[in-house]
Amino acid sequence: MRLESCVASFFLLLTLSDAAVTSRILNRLTAGSNYLTTQQLWFNQTLDHFSPYDHRQFAQRYYEFLDHFQLPNGPIFLKICGESACNGISNDYISVLAKKFGAAVVSLEHRYYGKSSPFNSLTTENLKYLSSKQALFDLAVFRQYYQESLNAKLNRSNVENPWFVFGISYPGALSAWFRLKFPHLTCGSLASSAVVLAVYNFTEFDQQIGVSAGPECKAALQEVNQLVEQKLTMNGQALKALFAAAELKIDADFLYFLADAAVIAFQYGNPDTLCSPLIQAKKNGADLVDAYATFVKDYFLGSFGISVQTYNQQHLKSTALNDDSSDRLWWFQVCTEVAYFQVAPSNDSIRSSKVDTRYHLDLCKNVFGEGIYPDVDGTNIYYGGTKIAGSKIIFTNGSQDPWRHASKQTSSTEMPSYIVTCHNCGHGTDLRGCPQAPLSPEGDAKNCSSPEAVHKVRQQIIDHIDLWLSQCQALDV
């Protein structure tokens, strides 16, 4: 985990700081204390990359980890941050890859999120520069800035280190799109659980939850939903209080909250935490609603750490800039670009049928005003969706993850795609290990039901990175 001592002192001089300065839950995980670094660095970013007249800038936060960097020509791994505050570089499997390839790791906070907000107020008007297109240009500009800064520190010019881009979930999509739009700036990309397909009515999401749950757990969840809908009409406030969600005045917000609680168990590799007590309660003739409420309070709100206000439209309407702003920000991206409306399928649904298209459209209108509508067709035309015409992009997905149906699951020579298959293989398993939350240091796969399935895909990733980096370096000779 350490470089040779003869190089260590040089890193003190090489710190590149020139200034002092998701469901609703797509990918908002933090790594607790498991960070490679939390040392904040800053640089000035262009606000609007598409205007030749607007030259405003804002301070954007980033991080660097140099412990494994092989000077001076080692690769640079760009780890993309997404739809939440980026508080450091988490210690997942990228740290293992960095050590193996002698790479520096850098990570840029997504515009508007965390401490990288261009504005002090998040009005709908001020959010007009929040988009994946602007974020991709942010990454390109940052990549050039960092390379030039490194060259200056090494007293050289016109030298390019080989770069490789990584991302999970929405950042996984950004990773794929970065290679698509800026192939000259990276040797390749790993797009883990990459949601590259914008989906208007995402019924496959709920259907995958049913498959991942298995027949017994699925039936229990469906019964819970039926009982909840009945109780909601009789004494809604008492029911919401049972789930510690009395603040959710809109019934459909409450029903979305309950649906997401189940989703998270499968999405992040903890299916038995949900299914075992539910199946047991059903066998014992116990109250299924009480059993589900215990799961929601102990796991979803407890150990996983979700706040009920994430589902409260009054909270989403708040334009104040604070630690909870990511809820409003991600919904803006949902309501303008990608949708991912997790509506109930017409048949055999697990979630309530009240979580429908109209609910989502009304939410977008209520939170952001008239005229806000997800341009799903425009997004897929611009990037290609699952027909993305890229090269040297690795796509990976976990077998139990509902988001994989918005990813590229067909493989080709130029864009290999792998499914990591196991009982608790969810969102970003190839980089996070099992479970995916809480994070296992270095993405340890020992707690996956099939560690070998993870190791096999990881070896494929290593082989592709090795090949594509060597091809990059050969071009620079």
Side-chain angles (χ1 to χ4, degrees):
M1 299 290 289
R2 296 285 184 268
L3 286 180
E4 293 87 348
S5 58
C6 63
V7 179
S9 61
F10 187 77
F11 284 138
L12 297 175
L13 303 175
L14 196 61
T15 301
L16 303 178
S17 175
D18 294 333
V21 233
T22 321
S23 68
R24 299 197 182 184
I25 317 299
L26 180 52
N27 188 41
R28 295 191 292 115
L29 291 184
T30 58
S33 60
N34 295 321
Y35 288 103
L36 298 176
T37 180
T38 57
Q39 178 66 47
Q40 302 176 98
L41 303 169
W42 300 85
F43 89 113
N44 291 325
Q45 182 63 268
T46 300
L47 176 62
D48 185 2
H49 297 286
F50 300 98
S51 171
Y53 312 109
D54 188 346
H55 302 296
R56 287 176 293 173
Q57 294 183 318
F58 67 97
Q60 194 165 19
R61 182 166 61 163
Y62 73 96
Y63 304 88
E64 65 179 0
F65 179 71
L66 303 173
D67 282 17
H68 305 313
F69 190 33
Q70 292 181 358
L71 290 164
N73 298 318
I76 300 175
F77 289 171
L78 173 56
K79 185 177 184 181
I80 302 175
C81 287
E83 67 282 13
S84 63
C86 187
N87 296 315
I89 300 177
S90 56
N91 182 21
D92 58 18
Y93 191 66
I94 285 180
S95 63
V96 178
L97 294 174
K99 183 177 182 179
K100 179 174 183 60
F101 288 100
V105 184
V106 295
S107 192
L108 180 69
E109 186 167 60
H110 196 294
R111 60 169 51 209
Y112 283 84
Y113 291 92
K115 295 183 179 181
S116 297
S117 179
F119 301 101
N120 293 323
S121 174
L122 301 178
T123 63
T124 301
E125 172 65 20
N126 283 347
L127 295 181
K128 65 184 178 182
Y129 305 104
L130 173 57
S131 71
S132 60
K133 299 179 184 68
Q134 295 280 7
L136 287 174
F137 266 89
D138 286 348
L139 291 166
V141 170
F142 169 73
R143 185 259 191 232
Q144 296 300 85
Y145 159 82
Y146 192 88
Q147 183 66 70
E148 291 170 4
S149 299
L150 176 61
N151 287 347
K153 297 293 182 182
L154 296 175
N155 194 29
R156 65 185 189 182
S157 60
N158 298 320
V159 176
E160 291 285 321
N161 290 73
W163 286 68
F164 208 95
V165 182
F166 298 80
I168 304 174
S169 195
Y170 166 57
L174 291 175
S175 178
W177 295 338
F178 187 83
R179 171 65 190 175
L180 174 71
K181 298 298 183 181
F182 301 101
H184 58 294
L185 297 182
T186 179
C187 302
S189 293
L190 173 61
S192 175
S193 297
V195 286
V196 292
L197 178 68
V199 187
Y200 187 60
N201 286 325
F202 198 6
T203 54
E204 296 91 345
F205 190 92
D206 189 83
Q207 291 165 347
Q208 179 62 52
I209 294 300
V211 173
S212 298
E216 282 189 291
C217 188
K218 177 183 177 181
L221 287 168
Q222 289 176 321
E223 188 173 340
V224 167
N225 180 59
Q226 293 167 2
L227 293 170
V228 162
E229 288 186 332
Q230 293 170 10
K231 290 175 181 287
L232 199 55
T233 61
M234 294 185 291
N235 191 344
Q237 277 307 107
L239 178 65
K240 292 174 183 177
L242 176 66
F243 285 89
E247 72 177 74
L248 300 180
K249 305 304 181 186
I250 300 173
D251 287 351
D253 287 349
F254 174 66
L255 292 168
Y256 202 133
F257 161 74
L258 294 186
D260 248 12
V263 165
I264 292 306
F266 302 106
Q267 182 172 323
Y268 289 119
N270 294 288
D272 296 337
T273 303
L274 166 65
C275 290
S276 294
L278 269 189
I279 292 172
Q280 192 61 48
K282 187 171 175 61
K283 287 179 178 178
N284 295 342
D287 190 313
L288 280 180
V289 174
D290 284 345
Y292 193 60
T294 298
F295 160 77
V296 169
K297 288 182 288 189
D298 289 352
Y299 175 72
F300 192 49
L301 301 179
S303 58
F304 193 81
I306 290 299
S307 172
V308 174
Q309 73 173 2
T310 298
Y311 298 84
N312 189 336
Q313 290 188 41
Q314 283 303 115
H315 161 65
L316 297 177
K317 292 174 74 171
S318 173
T319 60
L321 181 63
N322 54 47
D323 292 340
D324 300 316
S325 296
S326 59
D327 297 329
R328 175 176 173 81
L329 295 171
W330 177 240
W331 265 106
F332 182 78
Q333 293 192 258
V334 165
C335 290
T336 54
E337 281 193 286
V338 292
Y340 304 136
F341 290 166
Q342 291 150 45
V343 301
S346 56
N347 296 306
D348 205 28
S349 174
I350 292 177
R351 67 185 55 218
S352 170
S353 60
K354 294 180 174 61
V355 183
D356 57 10
T357 307
R358 176 47 53 190
Y359 163 74
H360 288 86
L361 293 176
D362 287 347
L363 183 151
C364 292
K365 179 180 177 181
N366 181 37
V367 172
F368 300 108
E370 295 282 354
I372 298 298
Y373 184 89
D375 187 11
V376 167
D377 289 343
T379 299
N380 288 331
I381 288 171
Y382 187 74
Y383 295 121
T386 54
K387 296 180 180 178
I388 179 173
S391 65
K392 296 183 179 178
I393 304 169
I394 309 163
F395 288 91
T396 57
N397 287 281
S399 60
Q400 308 307 98
D401 183 13
W403 289 103
R404 71 186 181 95
H405 297 284
S407 187
K408 188 179 186 300
Q409 299 184 84
T410 57
S411 195
S412 66
T413 303
E414 283 294 297
M415 290 186 291
S417 179
Y418 305 101
I419 303 292
V420 189
T421 302
C422 73
H423 176 64
N424 56 345
C425 286
H427 212 52
T429 295
D430 57 318
L431 292 179
R432 290 174 173 154
C434 297
Q436 295 78 62
L439 178 68
S440 301
E442 296 188 345
D444 197 333
K446 68 180 180 182
N447 291 321
C448 297
S449 66
S450 176
E452 183 55 37
V454 183
H455 296 322
K456 184 176 180 180
V457 170
R458 286 178 171 174
Q459 187 57 53
Q460 297 281 6
I461 291 170
I462 289 170
D463 291 345
H464 288 301
I465 294 174
D466 192 25
L467 174 63
W468 296 342
L469 286 178
S470 65
Q471 290 176 342
C472 245
Q473 290 163 334
L475 292 174
D476 290 336
V477 173

